[in-house]
Amino acid sequence: MPVDKHLLEQILSDQQSELEIFRSRSFCRRAEQSLIDLKSPQAQVVIGVRRSGKSTLCLQALESSRLNYGYVNFDDERLYGLESAQMNDVLEVLFKIKGDFQHLFLDEVQNIGGWHLFVNRLLRQGMHIILTGSNARLLSTDLATHLAGRAKEITLYPFSFADFCAQTQVDTHFKTTRAQAFRWRAFDSYMNQGGFPELFLLQDRKTYVRDLAGNILKRDIEQRFAITHKATFEALSHHLLNTAPCTVSTADLTKTFAIGSVHTVKNYLAYLQQAYLLVGLHPYSTKSRLRAGALKVYPVDVALMDSRDDAFATRNLGWRLETLVYLQLLRTCKPQGLDIYYYRDRGTECDFLVCRNSQVIQAIQVCYDISGERTRRREIRGLLSAARRSGCSNLLLLTNHDQGTIRQEDHEIIMRPVYDWALDADIAG
């Protein structure tokens, strides 16, 4: 049912009032803000999991520019009846409220069917558009089809460790023993709490994460993709969050959850990644066919690993550390056009290979505690195996607190604590 223009004006006026609350608060500046180009003729599209701070990032960019801009949040329940044909009414009401503007911020725009047609028209007219969305497929499919070459995608994950330090006012530059100890202490908190920005404001962490995961499953996936067997889908989703990081066997999942076909399980996995609840990693191989197999999945934030009802997940610090490293690699590598894979061959494994085109430029192994001789040999063996297979000599071993250099088989392995590496995450090569 169409939304009346008078009601539209009330809703959009209320949303402008909410911006005053935003302006009264203090937020840390995130690295991704520099990726938003407000002068570009391309739509700036910020995508990522719910509650990762997409709206705040865009508003910070707009507010710091001191430009007059229009703003609509389509994740407002009062706009659920809005039809695509009314998007021009929205624009008209905004001009009435804000006066003339050349920048328009459309928040959670994928909630409106046909949004891309409206955006395309405004881009042709010279309007600068900023968009956010919480579903990769719904946005990317329309972008590729209707806005080809006219949109720039920026993926935002929950807080990085640098963001966490900025928010908690932990120094990230001084090299004194005291400063390094405080960073290590902050990293322990980060590894326990996770990076969802609103967790800094709340006492009941478990309820927040439970509700967030539930909303993503029910609203962003079940409703949009018309999933019939909701209980089965949710059980599979929580199972993957409990066991991640893990290599997925679609055949095993099909059998375990008595699902009708492997194809359905593959769809479920795709939906979870499109909604950014899980992020995937493919195996390294020089053959395209082999790179497409044996997907490994990680939660988009470590808070999702155990802060849910009936999670029943062990607090495996090694898994949490590996997850944080992968998320940092995604933040660092993807904007540079670099690819990330995992390596596994003949009983050896290396957590991450970073590639530029077909060349492996860095091999990274992650281990929380390297003190045990058996563990140390296993981790080094995985790195050396990856080095021999790929020809890469840039080898990095990340741990919770160790640093130094290991020389073995004519290879030099740099060892660094993650709390130090995560603040620069240099990918040399």
Side-chain angles (χ1 to χ4, degrees):
M1 185 175 181
V3 179
D4 179 80
K5 269 191 182 182
H6 293 293
L7 178 57
L8 260 182
E9 183 173 359
Q10 178 186 334
I11 294 169
L12 297 183
S13 295
D14 288 346
Q15 292 185 0
Q16 301 307 309
S17 297
E18 292 170 7
L19 291 181
E20 294 303 319
I21 300 174
F22 171 85
R23 294 181 182 113
S24 69
R25 296 173 58 190
S26 177
F27 300 92
C28 69
R29 191 184 192 281
R30 303 178 68 174
E32 291 83 358
Q33 184 176 327
S34 64
L35 300 177
I36 300 175
D37 184 359
L38 297 177
K39 297 180 180 179
S40 173
Q42 294 181 307
Q44 306 294 293
V45 186
V46 180
I47 56 178
V49 68
R50 281 185 179 273
R51 318 316 300 168
S52 58
K54 300 185 297 295
S55 304
T56 299
L57 184 80
C58 295
L59 288 171
Q60 282 180 284
L62 287 162
E63 289 290 324
S64 64
S65 71
R66 301 187 181 279
L67 294 165
N68 189 34
Y69 62 92
Y71 166 68
V72 189
N73 178 10
F74 292 107
D75 210 25
D76 189 319
E77 78 282 357
R78 296 171 297 176
L79 293 177
Y80 278 178
L82 192 72
E83 299 174 353
S84 58
Q86 287 190 274
M87 293 293 277
N88 212 59
D89 292 342
V90 170
L91 187 62
E92 182 182 343
V93 171
L94 279 174
F95 278 131
K96 180 183 178 186
I97 294 172
K98 296 288 295 181
D100 194 22
F101 56 82
Q102 291 299 313
H103 290 77
L104 178 60
F105 175 22
L106 305 175
D107 205 0
E108 297 293 350
V109 70
Q110 83 277 342
N111 288 332
I112 306 298
W115 62 269
H116 49 274
L117 301 174
F118 174 72
V119 168
N120 209 0
R121 175 165 61 86
L122 293 186
L123 288 172
R124 292 197 303 269
Q125 295 172 359
M127 183 76 76
H128 298 280
I129 306 292
I130 303 94
L131 310 171
T132 72
S134 302
N135 189 289
R137 190 191 72 85
L138 289 174
L139 278 170
S140 296
T141 300
D142 287 335
L143 290 174
T145 304
H146 301 282
L147 299 179
R150 306 197 70 182
K152 173 186 176 182
E153 290 188 31
I154 301 162
T155 303
L156 185 68
Y157 299 95
F159 274 173
S160 67
F161 181 50
D163 297 331
F164 186 93
C165 288
Q167 189 69 22
T168 54
Q169 299 182 331
V170 172
D171 173 75
T172 59
H173 300 291
F174 285 120
K175 299 299 183 182
T176 64
T177 300
R178 180 175 181 272
Q180 289 178 330
F182 282 1
R183 286 196 288 273
W184 186 8
R185 179 183 179 183
F187 187 79
D188 283 349
S189 297
Y190 175 60
M191 188 161 58
N192 176 64
Q193 174 180 306
F196 286 109
E198 290 178 332
L199 288 177
F200 288 89
L201 308 174
L202 302 171
Q203 295 293 324
D204 191 351
R205 174 172 170 263
K206 186 170 183 177
T207 298
Y208 175 86
V209 176
R210 178 200 66 197
D211 292 346
L212 173 62
N215 281 334
I216 294 172
L217 292 174
K218 296 178 188 300
R219 292 177 57 188
D220 292 343
I221 301 178
E222 291 174 4
Q223 289 182 12
R224 289 194 174 124
F225 296 104
I227 290 178
T228 304
H229 303 290
K230 296 180 174 60
T232 300
F233 167 70
E234 290 177 20
L236 180 147
S237 302
H238 285 291
H239 167 74
L240 291 173
L241 288 171
N242 289 345
T243 57
C246 62
T247 304
V248 174
S249 167
T250 53
D252 287 348
L253 290 175
T254 302
K255 182 178 179 180
T256 300
F257 294 95
I259 296 171
S261 72
V262 171
H263 180 70
T264 299
V265 171
K266 289 181 178 178
N267 283 340
Y268 286 173
L269 287 169
Y271 301 156
L272 290 166
Q273 292 177 82
Q274 289 159 17
Y276 289 98
L277 202 59
L278 295 175
V279 288
L281 181 66
H282 287 281
Y284 169 80
S285 175
T286 56
K287 298 179 180 179
S288 178
R289 175 179 58 84
L290 296 179
R291 287 198 303 274
L295 182 73
K296 192 171 185 179
V297 295
Y298 294 79
V300 77
D301 189 84
V302 293
L304 291 163
M305 298 175 80
D306 58 357
S307 294
R308 295 169 290 108
D309 287 346
D310 301 318
F312 209 69
T314 59
R315 292 187 59 77
N316 188 308
L317 296 176
W319 292 355
R320 298 177 85 85
L321 195 69
E322 182 183 334
T323 298
L324 291 175
V325 169
Y326 183 41
L327 293 170
Q328 186 58 42
L329 285 172
L330 287 172
R331 295 184 189 97
T332 305
C333 296
K334 292 304 181 181
Q336 300 180 50
L338 303 176
D339 297 313
I340 313 164
Y341 301 96
Y342 73 88
Y343 169 82
R344 186 177 293 159
D345 185 50
R346 299 179 183 178
T348 63
E349 184 170 349
C350 182
D351 293 316
F352 307 109
L353 297 187
V354 179
C355 299
R356 178 180 290 115
N357 300 320
S358 61
Q359 180 186 6
V360 178
I361 62 173
Q362 189 168 47
I364 301 173
Q365 193 77 296
V366 184
C367 183
Y368 184 82
D369 183 1
I370 201 73
S371 61
E373 186 59 31
R374 183 178 178 182
T375 300
R376 183 184 181 92
R377 286 200 304 267
R378 183 191 67 224
E379 302 301 328
I380 292 174
R381 187 167 63 247
L383 266 174
L384 295 177
S385 176
R388 288 191 294 269
R389 174 71 179 276
S390 66
C392 176
S393 60
N394 181 11
L395 310 181
L396 178 64
L397 176 57
L398 296 174
T399 75
N400 182 49
H401 62 275
D402 299 285
Q403 54 187 339
T405 302
I406 300 170
R407 291 180 174 83
Q408 192 164 327
E409 294 186 11
D410 297 325
H411 287 282
E412 182 178 89
I413 301 170
I414 303 300
M415 187 163 52
R416 294 182 67 183
V418 175
Y419 71 82
D420 177 51
W421 169 86
L423 294 174
D424 56 51
D426 273 341
I427 307 297

